[in-house]
Amino acid sequence: MPQKKEAPLRSDAQRNRERILEVALVELTRCADAPLSAIARKAGVGQGTFYRNFPNREALVLEIYRHEMQQVADSARRLLDTLAPDRALRAWMDRLAAFAMAKAGLADAIRQVTGAPGGPAKPSPTPVAAAADLLLRAGEEAGTIRPGVTADDFLLAIAGLWGLSPQEDWRPRATRLLDLVMDGLRAGAPGG
């Protein structure tokens, strides 16, 4: 029997959902135990609307993670539409750093949700890896990024982002780290 496809949300329902995610990201980053009722109130939606979208804390936290990851991934294509491939990659790296800091702030909430026995698994970073691959291949084709760098290589090289503290002034250090990685990715770099 074919699976029933969910109908697309009405525009007002989509706005409510996005507003809930936006508020929840801020509130759960601030406090992993933020009450769902406070998130609904700050998002300007009723309890019914909130729970229709997110039946429990786990669903909300995992959707924030997925939503933020997809936003980062989707930005790769938009950047390629307006910038040269190497500049798009570097701009995307900054977007990824901001995501890493938001995710770091959510780490406690994510651990609470995925760490419980029988709890859901943490979503895969597949959209981010696919976006990295898109940008790397575009740079390789343009001759600005060394050939053969995989998305896995790239993600391993920037893993230091996840060691930065979102409570500190992380941007200058992230910029230095990402500039260093970018220098190593450029075509003509030693070993390239």
Side-chain angles (χ1 to χ4, degrees):
M1 185 164 144
Q3 289 210 343
K4 190 169 104 177
K5 203 172 189 179
E6 288 186 31
L9 293 175
R10 296 183 329 256
S11 61
D12 60 330
Q14 184 63 37
R15 280 191 303 274
N16 284 340
R17 183 176 174 79
E18 288 170 5
R19 180 73 183 135
I20 292 167
L21 289 171
E22 180 183 305
V23 170
L25 174 61
V26 171
E27 294 304 312
L28 291 171
T29 297
R30 190 174 302 143
C31 173
D33 295 322
L36 298 183
S37 58
I39 293 170
R41 188 173 50 259
K42 287 182 180 182
V45 300
Q47 296 289 326
T49 298
F50 183 91
Y51 286 106
R52 242 187 328 279
N53 281 283
F54 304 103
N56 54 45
R57 180 176 294 277
E58 292 81 12
L60 176 64
V61 170
L62 293 176
E63 185 56 24
I64 291 168
Y65 184 82
R66 277 189 209 96
H67 179 68
E68 289 295 302
M69 202 168 21
Q70 193 60 56
Q71 295 297 313
V72 170
D74 291 347
S75 69
R77 173 66 59 201
R78 289 190 301 274
L79 288 166
L80 273 176
D81 289 343
T82 59
L83 298 172
D86 59 329
R87 291 183 57 220
L89 175 61
R90 184 59 187 85
W92 186 75
M93 290 163 74
D94 286 334
R95 177 70 175 91
L96 188 60
F99 166 71
M101 292 302 97
K103 183 180 157 220
L106 279 174
D108 287 341
I110 292 169
R111 267 191 297 277
Q112 285 175 5
V113 167
T114 59
K122 185 173 166 184
S124 155
T126 302
V128 171
D133 189 63
L134 172 73
L135 290 160
L136 290 167
R137 297 299 66 83
E140 188 177 323
E141 288 173 23
T144 56
I145 299 297
R146 68 171 59 204
V149 177
T150 68
D152 286 343
D153 296 337
F154 172 80
L155 292 173
L156 187 58
I158 63 162
L161 285 175
W162 280 264
L164 300 177
S165 171
Q167 284 75 36
E168 297 172 9
D169 185 13
W170 57 268
R171 289 186 194 279
R173 194 162 188 199
T175 297
R176 286 191 307 274
L177 173 70
L178 295 176
D179 284 346
L180 182 64
V181 170
M182 191 67 200
D183 287 346
L185 289 171
R186 292 191 193 285

